[in-house]
């Protein structure tokens, strides 16, 4: 029932930008805090950013602070991650999640390379 579909990834040069989207369905999107995670090959999945259900508060892991911005459009059931000044170490598959480690989408690949 719960569906999370990530999109917007791609190949970018260092210093470039991408905007990721997560289309949510099967639950009351506006009633949940949402999260972005990422996972690089051979590494654990790590938390990237959080936004509260109404969008009033956000949080970020230290490595992306000042570069990434999480936002949401509850009327469209969509979560976003604006990624600026990308670095090679940002290369990973990016996933959205509604919490508690369930209902992962397919992810979207972000590759930062010259």
């Amino acid at each position: 029932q719960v569906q999370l579909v990530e999109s917007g990834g791609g190949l970018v040069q260092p210093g470039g930008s991408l905007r990721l989207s997560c289309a949510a369905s099967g639950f009351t999107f506006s009633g949940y805090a949402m999260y972005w995670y990422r996972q690089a090959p051979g590494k654990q999945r790590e938390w990237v950013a959080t936004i509260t259900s109404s969008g009033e508060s956000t949080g970020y892991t230290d490595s992306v602070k000042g570069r990434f911005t999480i936002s949401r459009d509850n009327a469209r059931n969509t979560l976003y991650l604006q990624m600026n000044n990308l670095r090679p170490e940002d290369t990973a598959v990016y996933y959205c999640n509604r919490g508690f480690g369930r209902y992962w989408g397919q992810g979207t690949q972000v590759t930062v390379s010259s």
Side-chain angles (χ1 to χ4, degrees):
Q1 181 83 316
V2 173
Q3 297 285 324
L4 300 169
V5 181
E6 300 93 341
S7 62
L11 174 64
V12 297
Q13 296 182 38
S17 297
L18 286 171
R19 187 178 71 164
L20 308 184
S21 297
C22 170
S25 62
F27 66 101
T28 304
F29 179 75
S30 62
Y32 288 83
M34 293 294 294
Y35 309 83
W36 283 102
Y37 288 80
R38 65 187 181 187
Q39 187 169 26
K43 293 187 175 181
Q44 295 252 1
R45 182 173 285 155
E46 68 171 335
W47 169 76
V48 175
T50 298
I51 188 166
T52 54
S53 59
S54 61
E56 74 272 18
S57 297
T58 59
Y60 303 89
T61 193
D62 285 345
S63 64
V64 310
K65 285 180 179 176
R67 301 188 298 119
F68 291 10
T69 303
I70 187 172
S71 62
R72 66 193 297 160
D73 186 341
N74 283 345
R76 298 183 61 206
N77 287 358
T78 304
L79 179 73
Y80 302 99
L81 186 68
Q82 179 66 47
M83 308 166 67
N84 297 329
N85 193 23
L86 284 160
R87 304 167 180 169
E89 52 263 45
D90 296 318
T91 296
V93 178
Y94 284 71
Y95 301 88
C96 63
N97 192 260
R98 71 167 207 182
F100 303 102
R102 296 209 297 167
Y103 304 116
W104 299 102
Q106 83 287 352
T108 186
Q109 175 72 52
V110 172
T111 302
V112 185
S113 177
S114 59

